[in-house]
Amino acid sequence: MSTETMRAATARRYGGPEVMAIETLPRPVAGPGQLLIETAAFGVTRGDARIRGLDVPRGMGLLMRLIFGLTRPRRPIQGREFAGVVAAVGDGVTGWSIGDAVMGITPGMRLSAGAEYCAVPADGRLTSRPETLTPEEAAGYFFGLLTAADFLLDQAKLQPGDRVLINGASGAVGIAAVWLAKHEGAQVTAVCSPANHDFVRSYGADLTADYARPLPDGPYDVILDVAGTLPYSRAKPLLADGGRFALITADLKGQLGANLRPRRGTHQLLAGVTKESPAALTRALAYHAQGYRPPITTLPLTDIQQAHQLASTGHKRGNVVVTL
C-alpha cells in the first residue's frame, strides 16, 4: 500500500444497507503483473447485497461465511464490477498504458472495486471499454450478461424458436436474459412485477406475466429461475419434452440436486457458477456492437446505502451503479 489515500465503500460487519460506510483508506499500488485502476464507477449487484447481508438461499450461509469471513467480512471494500482508467502499470505488464479506458470484474470473490482505486491482474477479467459505452454503463455491463449467456447459450444450448420463460426478468440478470434470448431468436415470456412489464417488453419480451399470479401454461423449452422462487416441482409441468430448467438462484438442496441428478426424465436441470473467462468477457462485449446496452440506475458514492437498498429489493430495474 502507498501513503496516498482514497475513499472506499466498506462493510465492517454483516447486516442491512445501513452497515455500508464511506472510509478513507490507503490507496493500493500496482504490484507485479497488476494494473492500478482509477475507478469511475462500480456496480452494486444483487450478489453484492446478498454477501453484505448474508441474505443467501437456504443452506448456503456457512459456505458464504467460509468464503467471505466467518464473523465479519474478510475484505471490507465491497463491489466487483468496475469501469475506469489505468492509473499505474505494474512490473512485467505489457499491452496496457496509463490512461487506457477499461472495464472488468475483480478476480474470484475478491471484493475491491468499490473504491476510488483498485489493483487488478493485467491478464484477468479486464477489457478495453468501447467509446460507445459510458463508464456507468460499463460498470453495470458484465454481471447480468455473463450470467445470462452462460446459462442460456453454454448450458441450455438455446436455439432459435425456443420458448423461454424467465422468472425474475427485470433485474440485471433477468433483463440481460430477456434481450439475449430474443436476440438469439427465442420466444420470450418475462415474469416480473406488473410495474416492470413495459420495461421488459422494451428489451424484447413477447409476453409478460405477474410474478404474484400463477405462471402461464407452457410448454417451454427453457425456463430460467433468476429470482430463486420457482422450484423444479412447479416448473416441471411447464417444461416441454427435452426442456431445460436453469437454477440461477437456488438453495443448497436445489444446487446439489441439479448437479448430482441433472436428468429428470426428458428434462435437464442446470446449475453452477458463471464462467468469467476472458473469452466469456469478449463474447459478452461483442453483444454491445449488436445492440445491447445495460439499463442502469446511477447514484453517487455518498448514496451507497441507498444503492445497496435498491439492490436488496429484488425488484430493481437492471443494474445499480455508483459513480465516483
Side-chain angles (χ1 to χ4, degrees), residues 39-322:
T39 310
F42 65 93
V44 178
T45 68
R46 181 72 173 113
D48 294 326
R50 287 186 181 278
I51 293 167
R52 180 214 71 235
L54 283 181
D55 176 22
V56 296
R58 186 185 309 169
M60 306 293 284
L62 178 59
L63 177 62
M64 294 293 283
R65 287 181 182 273
L66 289 173
I67 294 173
F68 294 105
L70 283 174
T71 60
R72 62 183 183 274
R74 189 175 293 115
R75 296 175 181 269
I77 298 176
Q78 300 293 291
R80 293 193 65 217
E81 283 189 296
F82 64 88
V85 297
V86 176
V89 178
D91 290 344
V93 173
T94 59
W96 296 103
S97 302
I98 292 174
D100 286 347
V102 296
M103 56 192 287
I105 305 174
T106 60
M109 295 297 179
R110 299 177 188 174
L111 309 180
S112 62
E116 290 179 313
Y117 291 85
C118 63
V120 297
D123 59 354
R125 300 164 174 87
L126 185 74
T127 186
S128 296
R129 174 177 64 84
E131 292 183 357
T132 48
L133 275 176
T134 68
E136 294 80 10
E137 289 173 323
Y141 190 89
F142 282 128
F143 173 73
L145 195 52
L146 284 174
T147 304
D150 186 81
F151 278 90
L152 282 173
L153 304 182
D154 299 338
Q155 296 198 52
K157 310 297 183 186
L158 184 72
Q159 299 297 315
D162 275 351
R163 298 154 295 183
V164 178
L165 177 78
I166 300 170
N167 181 47
S170 62
V173 175
I175 201 65
V178 168
W179 184 91
L180 182 59
K182 187 62 178 178
H183 181 74
E184 295 295 323
Q187 180 180 339
V188 181
T189 298
V191 181
C192 58
S193 166
N196 289 325
H197 283 182
D198 287 345
F199 171 60
V200 296
R201 288 192 194 101
S202 74
Y203 271 74
D206 299 289
L207 301 169
T208 57
D210 182 351
Y211 77 96
R213 301 178 65 86
L215 294 176
D217 293 335
Y220 298 100
D221 302 294
V222 178
I223 295 178
L224 267 67
D225 182 24
V226 182
T229 59
L230 182 61
Y232 174 65
S233 59
R234 287 180 55 210
K236 180 179 179 180
L238 304 177
L239 282 166
D241 286 345
R244 291 87 77 199
F245 178 54
L247 296 85
I248 293 180
T249 304
D251 60 16
L252 182 61
K253 179 180 178 182
Q255 290 277 353
L256 290 175
N259 283 285
L260 297 175
R261 190 168 153 245
R263 291 288 180 182
R264 308 290 175 93
T266 66
H267 298 157
Q268 184 179 10
L269 273 61
L270 310 167
V273 178
T274 299
K275 295 185 291 294
E276 297 177 348
S277 64
L281 267 66
T282 298
R283 179 179 66 179
L285 194 56
Y287 284 116
H288 172 59
Q290 298 169 44
Y292 181 70
R293 301 190 84 93
I296 57 170
T297 297
T298 59
L299 292 166
L301 180 62
T302 51
D303 290 341
I304 187 63
Q305 292 186 358
Q306 183 182 347
H308 269 258
Q309 179 63 44
L310 282 173
S312 296
T313 62
H315 296 287
K316 65 182 176 66
R317 290 187 175 189
N319 307 264
V320 176
V321 171
V322 170

